[in-house]
Amino acid sequence: MPKIYYVEDDQAIGYIIEKTIAHAGMDGEGFKTAESFMRAFKEEKPDMILLDIMLPDRSGLDVLQWVRKQDQTIPIMVVSALQSEMDKVIALDHGADDYMTKPFGVLELTSRIQSKLRKLNDDRKWSIGNVILDDKKHQLTVENTYVYLTNKEYSILKLLMKNQKNVVSKETIFKEVWETDFIGETRTLDMHIKSLREKLKSQNSTAEIVTIRGIGYQIE
């Protein structure tokens, strides 16, 4: 049974989340403060985290960064009353995998949780040249040497590796990795691609990320 931690100081919303998780056949444990969550996380890691941003003792963004320093793979979904596009971008850049605004629908919350857990259980492996991406271990190796990737870098490379015979458009990358259709600002994507290229090159990778002008990227 999947274990889900949720950090929410609003009692009414916490109750709804608790019942939603239980109804979906999962095991949930709630925390009203960042510190209580962090203590529990040190003792036992859950399968997924639902996280509010505005907590009484510290920002949920700080908690995001704290978790990501210890675990790059665990799905984290922000559930927040902050609804601006910038709030969502900041949370995703801090390491969140998904962002849901309050008030939310119970069915949508259930669907998103199940979707993230399905992705986590994907045990596929992709290779091209001397590059291997192991999704079960959530790691990249080049010539059997582990290469550290941020969460977003990993997601981008995985998308390219899965579609290595095809060009992946920028629109597709934003939709799959950042879960948005907005592509007005592409500098963030360009920076992630640049970092990926540098990391692959530093390990003498035989695979290369190629820019297809006006469309997107392809790995070959």
Side-chain angles (χ1 to χ4, degrees), residues 74-198:
I74 186 169
I76 303 176
M77 181 165 69
V78 168
V79 183
S80 174
L82 301 175
Q83 300 186 9
S84 76
E85 181 181 17
M86 185 55 63
D87 289 321
K88 297 176 183 179
V89 169
I90 290 173
L92 293 170
D93 282 345
H94 274 68
D97 298 285
D98 198 0
Y99 193 106
M100 192 169 189
T101 57
K102 303 173 186 176
F104 54 82
V106 171
L107 292 179
E108 183 180 1
L109 177 61
T110 303
S111 176
R112 291 201 188 190
I113 291 173
Q114 291 174 337
S115 174
K116 296 302 174 187
L117 291 175
R118 280 197 299 271
K119 289 182 179 179
L120 185 66
N121 291 328
D122 186 358
D123 61 355
R124 298 189 62 184
K125 182 184 294 185
W126 298 273
S127 65
I128 178 170
N130 60 358
V131 176
I132 298 176
L133 194 70
D134 189 327
D135 208 35
K136 186 174 183 179
K137 296 180 180 178
H138 198 88
Q139 71 177 24
L140 167 69
T141 56
V142 180
E143 285 288 1
N144 298 317
T145 300
Y146 169 75
V147 180
Y148 170 78
L149 298 179
T150 66
N151 203 45
K152 288 292 184 288
E153 288 171 352
Y154 180 90
S155 297
I156 293 169
L157 184 60
K158 177 180 173 179
L159 189 59
L160 294 174
M161 294 283 282
K162 287 173 65 177
N163 298 275
Q164 57 186 265
K165 294 182 179 180
N166 303 301
V167 178
V168 181
S169 68
K170 291 184 177 180
E171 289 87 349
T172 298
I173 295 175
F174 272 97
K175 184 175 182 180
E176 294 294 325
V177 177
W178 277 273
E179 298 189 344
T180 177
D181 294 325
F182 179 74
I183 61 167
E185 176 56 75
T186 62
R187 282 182 297 177
T188 298
L189 174 57
D190 295 339
M191 290 173 60
H192 282 80
I193 292 293
K194 180 181 179 182
S195 178
L196 273 172
R197 284 171 169 159
E198 290 174 349

Side-chain angles (χ1 to χ4, degrees), residues 19-84:
K19 293 303 179 183
T20 299
I21 292 172
H23 184 72
M26 303 173 191
D27 182 20
E29 185 172 351
F31 306 90
K32 294 185 178 180
T33 65
E35 292 300 327
S36 60
F37 159 77
M38 292 162 74
R39 286 195 300 269
F41 187 90
K42 290 177 182 178
E43 294 293 326
E44 179 186 5
K45 291 184 180 181
D47 297 295
M48 183 174 179
I49 299 168
L50 306 183
L51 179 64
D52 192 9
I53 293 296
M54 297 182 290
L55 298 172
D57 53 343
R58 63 192 299 178
S59 169
L61 296 176
D62 292 338
V63 178
L64 262 175
Q65 291 181 312
W66 180 83
V67 172
R68 283 297 175 233
K69 287 179 180 178
Q70 302 173 74
D71 193 303
Q72 288 283 321
T73 65
I74 186 169
I76 303 176
M77 181 165 69
V78 168
V79 183
S80 174
L82 301 175
Q83 300 186 9
S84 76

